[in-house]
Amino acid sequence: MIEKELIVVGAGPAGMTAGMYAVRSGLDSLVIEKGICGGLSNEAPEIENYPGLDRVNGMELASKIKEHVTKYVEIRELERVDRIEAKAEGFEVTTDKESYHTKAIVMCTGTRHRRLGIKGELEFLGKGVSYCATCDGFFFRNRNVAVVGGGDSAVRTALYLRSLGCQVTLIHRRDALRAERYLHKKLDEAGVNIRWNSVVKELKGDKVLKSVVIDTRGIEDELPVNGLFVAIGEDPNSELAAGIGVNLDEKKYIITDKSQRTNIKRVYAAGDVTGGVRQVVVACAEGAVAALSAYDDLI
Ligand code: NAP
């Protein structure tokens, strides 16, 4: 059993920052990540509002943060936390590779893409259906694609696909976008076609996706597409935290106070898994606060 003072679960911007602040405070800390550093921020085609960096690709920002924080903290990538149990004087963290004992935990487990839950969605996953334009967009360049959603992610996805030469239709269930105003103008200028008040009901094809069935206020039609990018928001990865009794809100986001403390002693949470404003700059700030709160509680 490896002994640590603090374990951070998840190495998105929040987790990486928490790890750096914890080690610099003097806590013997480790960050564990089931995939690669960066979390969903890796998928952002362009980040234009991280102060000090005019425009940066999400993966580039994540790799800059990783390069910086690993001067201080060890990050174990491709190691999945399977279980956390409360024990005397702390917690036992079991991964697919190791067992750890730690005095404190910061949960930075982020969110996962929400699915439409319609016929054909899983069948055509990787065969036309995608949740990540920066990962898969290249395969659809100059082709016909649709994007579902009306938030920042959907609009940014539509713009990115347009920049790859795609014919893009944005399908949104209401008559107004949720995305930043700044992006509305860009969408118009880029020539993205918008289907308002429309819901995707079914995906059709044979070996690959060929079309989507759209319901616009009760009238159905079929739009031929090569790809469908789903960007309808995210759900929190809060199951591990719930397993040790951490309180969640009605949408299953972890509830914290301003110091990023949860209701369980020496368990903190930061970043997207806590809901609220989901921006890289906020995740980093919350990670820093969580680590410093842990330090205050442990010394
Ligand atoms: P979001 O803001 O929650 O928007 C989700 C969109 O999908 C909404 O327009 C919603 O419609 C729609 N939607 C939800 N469920 C749906 C369903 N079942 N069927 C069809 N449409 C559905 O999510 P997001 O765009 O992923 O953004 C998440 C957070 O990250 C936000 O806080 C956002 O500001 C942030 N973000 C920021 C940037 C940036 O560049 N600053 C980029 C990406 C994300 P309604 O509008 O009708 O609810």
Side-chain angles (χ1 to χ4, degrees):
M1 179 96 51
I2 298 172
E3 279 293 331
K4 288 283 161 191
E5 287 183 295
L6 180 83
I7 285 185
V8 179
V9 185
M16 289 196 280
T17 310
M20 175 172 74
Y21 270 77
V23 169
R24 285 176 57 93
S25 299
L27 296 177
D28 178 18
S29 310
L30 173 72
V31 183
I32 304 175
E33 163 59 51
K34 71 175 180 340
I36 59 163
C37 288
L40 286 192
S41 73
N42 279 322
E43 298 181 7
E46 247 181 8
I47 297 174
E48 294 176 310
N49 50 12
Y50 190 86
L53 297 174
D54 196 26
R55 176 172 299 159
V56 64
N57 165 279
M59 198 168 256
E60 196 187 333
L61 179 58
S63 102
K64 277 180 195 288
I65 298 175
K66 177 184 173 184
E67 197 184 320
H68 181 186
V69 305
T70 48
K71 291 187 174 139
Y72 302 99
V73 68
E74 182 190 354
I75 302 180
R76 295 196 173 175
E77 292 177 290
L78 301 174
E79 181 168 341
R80 191 189 60 239
V81 173
D82 288 331
R83 209 170 54 247
I84 302 175
E85 282 176 277
K87 294 279 173 191
E89 296 298 304
F91 304 89
E92 200 172 299
V93 176
T94 310
T95 72
D96 54 353
K97 300 202 171 111
E98 280 287 357
S99 287
Y100 305 87
H101 180 270
T102 181
K103 291 178 181 165
I105 298 184
V106 185
M107 300 300 295
C108 300
T109 42
T111 55
R112 55 180 173 262
H113 296 296
R114 193 175 290 151
R115 294 181 189 249
L116 286 165
I118 57 170
K119 196 169 164 210
E121 186 176 15
L122 293 182
E123 187 186 340
F124 295 114
L125 186 60
K127 297 170 190 158
V129 174
S130 171
Y131 300 85
C132 173
T134 44
C135 319
D136 305 324
F138 184 76
F139 302 110
F140 295 90
R141 62 195 188 283
N142 302 321
R143 308 193 80 189
N144 257 331
V145 297
V147 177
V148 193
D152 285 329
S153 301
V155 174
R156 287 219 171 264
T157 297
L159 290 171
Y160 177 67
L161 292 166
R162 194 76 191 100
S163 75
L164 296 177
C166 298
Q167 287 305 315
V168 184
T169 303
L170 181 71
I171 304 168
H172 183 35
R173 64 183 178 184
R174 287 190 298 126
D175 62 357
L177 296 172
R178 186 178 288 281
E180 287 183 310
R181 270 284 161 93
Y182 174 75
L183 291 175
H184 294 198
K185 201 165 146 250
K186 282 193 148 188
L187 206 56
D188 289 341
E189 287 165 1
V192 171
N193 178 35
I194 307 184
R195 291 282 303 255
W196 301 106
N197 302 303
S198 299
V199 174
V200 181
K201 297 207 68 170
E202 188 184 338
L203 311 186
K204 290 186 173 176
D206 39 47
K207 285 188 181 133
V208 294
L209 178 69
K210 291 268 171 68
S211 65
V212 295
V213 179
I214 304 176
D215 180 323
T216 306
R217 290 191 162 145
I219 298 167
E220 278 192 13
D221 70 321
E222 213 168 310
L223 178 75
V225 291
N226 304 109
L228 179 76
F229 290 81
V230 181
I232 60 167
E234 292 138 29
D235 292 316
N237 296 319
S238 52
E239 294 81 1
L240 278 172
I244 45 171
V246 170
N247 285 341
L248 310 181
D249 69 13
E250 71 287 351
K251 290 185 174 161
K252 305 221 178 306
Y253 287 95
I254 295 178
I255 298 172
T256 65
D257 65 12
K258 277 178 120 177
S259 311
Q260 305 305 131
R261 293 181 173 92
T262 70
N263 59 306
I264 302 291
K265 198 174 164 197
R266 294 186 178 169
V267 178
Y268 313 81
D272 285 2
V273 74
T274 66
V277 176
R278 275 168 282 159
Q279 300 285 319
V280 178
V281 68
V282 174
C284 291
E286 288 183 359
V289 172
L292 295 178
S293 298
Y295 175 72
D296 279 348
D297 295 346
L298 287 173
I299 53 165

